[in-house]
Amino acid sequence: MGKKVIHSRNIASLLKYQYGVDVVFGIVGIPVVEFAQELQSVGIRFIGFRNEQAASYAASAYGYLTGKPGVLLVVGGPGVIHALAGVYNSINNRWPLLIIAGSVPRDEKYQGGFQELDQVSLLKPYLKFAGELTGTKKDANIVFNAWNSATQGTPGVSYIDFPGDLITDVVEAIEFHKHETKRITTGPDPRSIAEVTSLIKEHQDKNILVVLGKGCINSSLALRHFIEEFNFPFLPTPMAKGILPDSHRLNVSAARSQALKSADLVLVFGARLNWILHYASPPKWNSNAKFVQVDIEPLTLGVNNPNGTSYCIWGDIQLTIENLRDTLHKLDFVKHKGLTKELKEKIESNKHNLRVRLNPENYYGAKMLNYYSVYSMLKNLIDDRSSFIVSEGANTMDIARISFETDFPKRRLDAGTNATMGVGLGYAIAAKVHSPELNIVTIQGDSAFGFSGMEIETAVRYRLGIIFIIMNNSGIYHGSDPSTITNETQLPPTMLSEKCRYDLVARGLGAKGYLVKNLQELEYYYKKALVHTRERIPCLLNVIIEPGQNKKISFGWQKSKL
């Protein structure tokens, strides 16, 4: 007989020493408390949240930032159900995530045990892997399958069910091998490369546009060589900002609408032709444009593409870029013309207009702050090189997307593909745990903050110096003038309490909190917040802004003339 150990120590050791897990997010309760303690005993940091939803968002974002599965630990039953928000978020954003949940002891199954839920059956149809631990050496294989499944191909979600009796059972120690689980890549079909490069060659003298999605976030250098070598204009989607510097001379973000309408050939790397890219359809796009999609997920290819799968390439993005470059050289492809005169003029005009709009001198003495006046000041205060911005909340996020440029990859997190509200605090905590040296600035609407505001206490407890800026317009999308309310039982559905004191809430949770009503206070308190964060104290600025116009709700950044 081999060495005997508590089984939760077995699994903790596997995660730590074989897979290099350094942090686990979650919430403990019966029966996973002892497992969390074993995680800590082997040197894994456990970040305990107040709500499984926020914890699941943090774990999913951590997976994105590290490139390996973020790990989430929750109790069974309702704990798993509450964590489904992060599961859905990871599936749709294609971020690697491993969930471990406690479940009813095996001898109590099917008797209405405490928080009993058949979690494997519930999750298996939707995840890349779902399995239950057995208390034998076979469990090493189950952990491997879960980790490997979340990692290989299109990143996704795996689930491990940990029966309550096994957590504290003494079993044989599992042997582990210290090695990295290598992500396997696959190259593109040479025939597809030949077809696409011929198409690019045919469009030598036409308008070519490269669209960058967050799916190519790990191919920054290869993309930069490709775009600069062939002089292709490019457009990053919101969370792909920084893959190439926003300040790059070939970036057409400042003339997004015109770039879309004038493109004859569009090379789409790691992005979907979904609502964010207007389904590749007119009138936003040129009706005659040809779209080339490059992705590691085959089910993405051809969706909403007017050319179907005619010019799609399935394979690792970096390998595909290298193949495209080599083949274009063989075809003697010379540099593309780059930006047209019209695009250059539109970019300069729109950049000038935005500079004017984001000039704080235009807003001193204004009766109330608004999004542009606040961002005009923050743009001067936030140092791009040392900062990471998380933004969420309809107008808050939409306007932030065009207001805060970045020259660094993986420095922006927002609502993403799902347009999910409530991700902000989880994302901010994950970002600070991953990059403690950066200033994590979270800009949220007051509605978005309400989804997970109690996680301020989590940041306080773990001494995570994060700056939270609440754009408080007393409403969802926009607030309402209380003087116009005639029936207190029928409040406008977008209305929230007027000028709610979130700064006092932050103070009550152990953070610093300040009320901001003008630009002078914003500048003063932001600089003070930077001092607090260096002392590892979270700080919340409750910025009171005007309610906004009561008009039809839409996605502002997509309707922008930029």
Side-chain angles (χ1 to χ4, degrees):
M1 296 293 289
K3 180 182 176 184
K4 297 282 188 176
V5 297
I6 295 174
H7 199 36
S8 53
R9 171 65 67 95
N10 262 339
I11 304 304
S13 297
L14 275 173
L15 293 173
K16 172 68 175 180
Y17 300 114
Q18 186 156 318
Y19 300 103
V21 173
D22 56 353
V23 61
V24 170
F25 303 89
I27 298 181
V28 298
I30 297 172
V32 298
V33 176
E34 288 87 356
F35 182 42
Q37 292 168 341
E38 291 297 340
L39 291 170
Q40 291 178 320
S41 73
V42 299
I44 295 174
R45 188 178 186 188
F46 181 77
I47 306 291
F49 279 69
R50 303 298 295 262
N51 182 281
E52 286 94 354
Q53 185 181 86
S56 68
Y57 287 144
S60 68
Y62 198 73
Y64 166 69
L65 293 172
T66 62
K68 63 182 185 180
V71 183
L72 174 70
L73 175 64
V74 295
V75 298
V80 170
I81 297 301
H82 293 166
L84 290 179
V87 173
Y88 176 57
N89 196 55
S90 288
I91 291 171
N92 280 293
N93 281 305
R94 298 173 183 166
W95 292 348
L97 175 67
L98 171 61
I99 308 165
I100 303 174
S103 61
V104 68
R106 290 168 296 174
D107 62 354
E108 295 180 23
K109 277 187 174 182
Y110 315 116
Q111 300 181 74
F114 176 67
Q115 296 184 335
E116 182 174 356
L117 175 67
D118 186 353
Q119 286 138 200
V120 173
S121 297
L122 173 71
L123 297 172
K124 196 167 190 175
Y126 308 101
L127 306 189
K128 296 189 74 180
F129 175 86
E132 180 182 274
L133 297 180
T134 63
T136 67
K137 289 187 176 183
K138 180 181 175 182
D139 287 349
N141 192 51
I142 292 173
V143 175
F144 171 80
N145 287 336
W147 189 269
N148 194 53
S149 296
T151 304
Q152 302 298 350
T154 303
V157 185
S158 290
Y159 173 73
I160 294 175
D161 197 82
F162 207 156
D165 56 311
L166 286 184
I167 290 176
T168 54
D169 265 10
V170 175
V171 298
E172 275 196 68
I174 294 175
E175 293 182 9
F176 59 85
H177 307 281
K178 189 174 182 180
H179 63 78
E180 183 178 353
T181 301
K182 180 182 177 183
R183 187 171 180 274
I184 308 301
T185 56
T186 180
D189 184 343
R191 292 170 297 181
S192 297
I193 292 291
E195 290 169 359
V196 168
T197 49
S198 295
L199 187 67
I200 294 172
K201 179 77 171 175
E202 290 171 17
H203 286 74
Q204 171 76 58
D205 299 319
K206 296 184 179 181
N207 295 330
I208 297 177
L209 177 65
V210 175
V211 174
L212 307 179
K214 67 178 180 295
C216 57
I217 195 74
N218 296 314
S219 304
S220 179
L221 189 59
L223 279 166
R224 184 163 190 163
H225 289 324
F226 179 74
I227 284 169
E228 291 180 346
E229 189 169 355
F230 299 116
N231 207 39
F232 292 139
F234 72 91
L235 173 74
T237 57
M239 280 212 297
K241 289 167 70 68
I243 290 178
L244 268 72
D246 277 343
S247 60
H248 198 286
R249 62 181 178 82
L250 291 169
N251 186 1
V252 300
S253 293
R256 182 180 191 272
S257 297
Q258 185 165 326
L260 269 55
K261 287 178 181 177
S262 62
D264 297 304
L265 177 62
V266 187
L267 309 178
V268 183
F269 291 98
R272 282 163 277 193
L273 297 176
N274 58 12
W275 66 277
I276 292 177
L277 290 174
H278 311 288
Y279 312 108
S281 300
K284 293 290 186 180
W285 289 93
N286 174 1
S287 59
N288 296 315
K290 288 184 168 61
F291 289 82
V292 174
Q293 292 173 272
V294 179
D295 211 296
I296 61 169
E297 172 50 67
L299 296 181
T300 290
L301 303 176
V303 176
N304 296 326
N305 191 328
N307 310 115
T309 56
S310 299
Y311 307 113
C312 292
I313 301 177
W314 174 35
D316 178 79
I317 290 175
Q318 181 150 323
L319 291 176
T320 299
I321 294 165
E322 292 168 359
N323 275 262
L324 288 172
R325 285 180 67 201
D326 292 343
T327 309
L328 284 171
H329 284 309
K330 292 175 184 176
L331 292 175
D332 296 322
F333 182 86
V334 295
K335 273 195 172 186
H336 183 255
K337 63 184 177 180
L339 302 178
T340 63
K341 180 184 176 184
E342 293 77 15
L343 260 180
K344 288 179 181 176
E345 291 174 349
K346 191 66 174 177
I347 287 170
E348 288 308 311
S349 172
N350 285 344
K351 281 186 173 181
H352 171 75
N353 293 338
L354 187 60
R355 281 194 298 268
V356 170
R357 201 163 190 179
L358 292 178
N359 184 350
E361 292 182 5
N362 296 332
Y363 302 102
Y364 284 111
K367 185 177 179 181
M368 283 197 79
L369 296 173
N370 60 33
Y371 293 103
Y372 284 102
S373 62
V374 172
Y375 292 172
S376 72
M377 177 59 70
L378 290 177
K379 190 171 175 67
N380 291 330
L381 294 172
I382 296 174
D383 173 60
D384 182 40
R385 180 173 293 277
S386 61
S387 300
F388 185 119
I389 295 178
V390 177
S391 63
E392 70 162 334
N395 294 321
T396 301
M397 179 182 66
D398 289 346
I399 300 172
R401 282 171 166 171
I402 62 173
S403 299
F404 301 106
E405 296 180 330
T406 182
D407 285 351
F408 303 94
K410 290 191 178 181
R411 292 291 185 87
R412 296 289 184 270
L413 280 172
D414 64 29
T417 303
N418 288 344
T420 306
M421 294 300 111
V423 297
L425 275 86
Y427 281 7
I429 290 170
K432 191 65 179 180
V433 171
H434 177 259
S435 303
E437 76 284 0
L438 295 179
N439 296 320
I440 310 300
V441 182
T442 307
I443 307 175
Q444 299 178 279
D446 48 341
S447 170
F449 174 74
F451 281 80
S452 55
M454 279 299 293
E455 302 302 342
I456 290 281
E457 187 273 331
T458 304
V460 169
R461 190 174 358 120
Y462 290 99
R463 301 192 66 204
L464 302 174
I466 301 169
I467 298 176
F468 300 95
I469 298 172
I470 310 303
M471 303 294 286
N472 188 351
N473 69 350
S474 307
I476 302 171
Y477 296 102
H478 53 73
S480 301
D481 182 354
S483 65
T484 65
I485 305 302
T486 57
N487 184 349
E488 291 186 356
T489 64
Q490 287 285 11
L491 298 176
T494 60
M495 185 177 182
L496 298 174
S497 296
E498 186 184 18
K499 299 177 182 177
C500 201
R501 294 297 300 274
Y502 302 110
D503 51 303
L504 298 181
V505 173
R507 290 187 203 177
L509 295 174
K512 300 291 183 180
Y514 301 104
L515 181 66
V516 175
K517 294 175 287 186
N518 56 55
L519 290 183
Q520 291 87 346
E521 291 177 345
L522 178 61
E523 180 177 18
Y524 175 76
Y525 287 124
Y526 184 86
K527 290 178 178 178
K528 204 167 183 180
L530 285 175
V531 175
H532 292 318
T533 58
R534 285 193 287 270
E535 298 166 343
R536 300 175 63 190
I537 302 171
C539 184
L540 183 146
L541 307 185
N542 183 18
V543 184
I544 306 298
I545 63 173
E546 63 188 16
Q549 298 178 354
N550 188 7
K551 60 183 181 180
K552 182 175 173 58
I553 293 167
S554 61
F555 299 113
W557 70 279
Q558 287 191 325
K559 298 178 78 66
S560 168
K561 293 182 180 180
L562 291 180

